[in-house]
Amino acid sequence: MTVYAIAAFVLAFAVTAAIGPSVILKLRKMKCGGTVLEIGPKWHLKKGNIPVMGGLMFIFASVVASVIVLLAAPYISAHGGIGDAAAFADGRYWQGMLAALGFAVICGFIGFLDDFEKIKNRRNLGLTALQKLLLQCAAAVVFILVLRSFGLVTPRIVVPFFNVVWTWPWWVYVPFMMFVIVGTVNSVNLTDGIDGLAGGVTLIVAAFFAAAALLLFGRSGSGSLVGTAVLAAAVAGGLAGFLLFNFSPAKVWMGDTGSLFLGAIVCGLAFAIDLPLILIPAGIIYIIETLSDIIQIGYFKLTHGKRVFKMAPIHHHFELCGWSEKKIDLTAYAITLVCCALAFWGVACL
């Protein structure tokens, strides 16, 4: 089944790379330039004309690549002898992909509304925090219930590396997982603060989930894992194409449209393989970014104005310490790569 994941990656990359220039041109003509907070690093102010909502290009590419590959795979497996034809026999191979992708597209639409409000009002304020929270919570609950109806998730929490399993009542599991999902979605959104950071980190995380899904498929033969692997690979390919335009110096930003989509897809993939706690090692950069913000705000309030970092989230701290965006990106990529390799080992040990 690896060949289908590779095909999804290549197709999504090609689609994003092909449509990228025209999407950027269209966004510029529509005057979809971003707004930059004045409290941020002063050199960010010159980025005010960079168009946002560029996440639309990799969202479109991920959807197209996933659907095309999963439509073609059963025929190729049955007539071309590539892959396990039995995995496509009952139609379950669509379930994990559709649930995760549907949730991600909904969150991407929430981000789109936020971006649209910012552009329309010409200020860095879109939907209110409460509006975004309520919409994300509703989407998260629906997502968990859909997975439950498909039989893809159980009220068990598997602790990687230790082979410990906690079984909870559904009424405890759903609210806790809703908290995990919403927290992860917003952590990815917080990570999207400099050129290429969220996109490159999530590319590696998505590639990890593709590899993990293929590994688990080899053990169980569950068709739903094929769809999950294809979706993860398509997202990775779409992001690889997006980085052609987003790596420093960026020609386009993903906006909340892209970052909320990515946060949701990361959660969706973790739940689709029924290993939500694997997000801890795989998403370590998201966690560091969020903790730096929490620590900064908490310490500032407790000490009435003192700070731990020069600026939070922590990528801005390193910027103010003299690090270039490229150095911050490459460091984050390296940490993510090591932690995803560790996470893959954790999955292999289950």
Side-chain angles (χ1 to χ4, degrees):
M1 295 299 179
T2 304
V3 66
Y4 297 120
I6 294 172
F9 178 93
V10 173
L11 181 56
F13 173 83
V15 170
T16 308
I19 69 174
S22 58
V23 170
I24 293 171
L25 181 61
K26 184 68 174 178
L27 291 173
R28 284 176 177 164
K29 286 183 177 179
M30 293 173 63
K31 302 186 185 301
C32 293
T35 53
V36 180
L37 289 173
E38 294 184 2
I39 61 172
K42 298 304 179 186
W43 51 88
H44 281 203
L45 295 175
K46 65 182 180 182
K47 298 183 178 186
N49 293 323
I50 296 176
V52 297
M53 293 196 293
L56 289 170
M57 62 178 76
F58 61 74
I59 294 173
F60 174 77
S62 300
V63 173
V64 168
S66 299
V67 171
I68 288 177
V69 170
L70 288 180
L71 284 174
Y75 181 85
I76 295 172
S77 292
H79 298 87
I82 299 176
D84 183 0
F88 302 104
D90 61 1
R92 282 176 55 85
Y93 63 96
W94 283 102
Q95 292 180 343
M97 174 267 194
L98 287 177
L101 187 58
F103 174 56
V105 169
I106 290 171
C107 287
F109 181 69
I110 295 170
F112 175 82
L113 293 177
D114 193 40
D115 285 333
F116 180 79
E117 285 296 313
K118 292 174 184 176
I119 293 167
K120 184 179 73 173
N121 298 324
R122 294 296 170 187
R123 58 198 181 109
N124 200 44
L125 291 172
L127 299 177
T128 67
L130 181 59
Q131 287 173 330
K132 286 192 284 188
L133 179 63
L134 291 176
L135 288 170
Q136 290 169 7
C137 286
V141 171
V142 172
F143 170 61
I144 295 172
L145 294 178
V146 168
L147 285 179
R148 181 185 179 184
S149 70
F150 287 159
L152 298 179
V153 69
T154 58
R156 303 180 314 139
I157 303 295
V158 179
V159 183
F161 310 105
F162 300 101
N163 289 333
V164 174
V165 178
W166 300 326
T167 301
W168 295 350
W170 277 106
W171 64 270
V172 175
Y173 179 86
V174 172
F176 179 75
M177 288 300 105
M178 181 182 70
F179 172 79
V180 171
I181 291 171
V182 173
T184 303
V185 170
N186 287 289
S187 293
V188 177
N189 179 239
L190 196 63
T191 303
D192 182 37
I194 59 175
D195 300 351
L197 182 58
V201 167
T202 308
L203 188 164
I204 298 168
V205 174
F208 153 72
F209 277 115
L214 289 171
L215 173 66
L216 293 172
F217 169 77
R219 293 179 179 176
S220 67
S222 173
S224 67
L225 291 168
V226 178
T228 301
V230 166
L231 173 59
V235 171
L239 287 172
F242 181 69
L243 284 176
L244 296 176
F245 314 104
N246 180 246
F247 192 70
S248 183
K251 300 178 182 67
V252 67
W253 287 335
M254 68 175 68
D256 281 7
T257 304
S259 61
L260 292 186
F261 172 88
L262 292 181
I265 207 72
V266 166
C267 288
L269 294 170
F271 276 81
I273 65 173
D274 205 13
L275 288 173
L277 290 190
I278 207 67
L279 287 168
I280 295 173
I284 190 66
I285 292 298
Y286 311 139
I287 294 171
I288 292 171
E289 292 280 348
T290 303
L291 286 177
S292 70
D293 216 36
I294 294 172
I295 291 169
Q296 183 85 326
I297 293 170
Y299 190 76
F300 184 87
K301 290 181 177 180
L302 286 173
T303 61
H304 305 289
K306 294 183 180 180
R307 293 175 170 84
V308 176
F309 306 106
K310 293 184 177 181
M311 187 176 179
I314 199 167
H315 55 258
H316 290 318
H317 170 79
F318 288 118
E319 276 192 288
L320 294 174
C321 288
W323 287 33
S324 68
E325 289 188 339
K326 290 180 180 178
K327 182 177 180 180
I328 297 169
D329 287 344
L330 294 175
T331 302
Y333 299 170
I335 293 170
T336 303
L337 190 60
V338 171
C339 289
C340 281
L342 182 64
F344 185 78
W345 176 70
V347 174
C349 290
L350 292 175

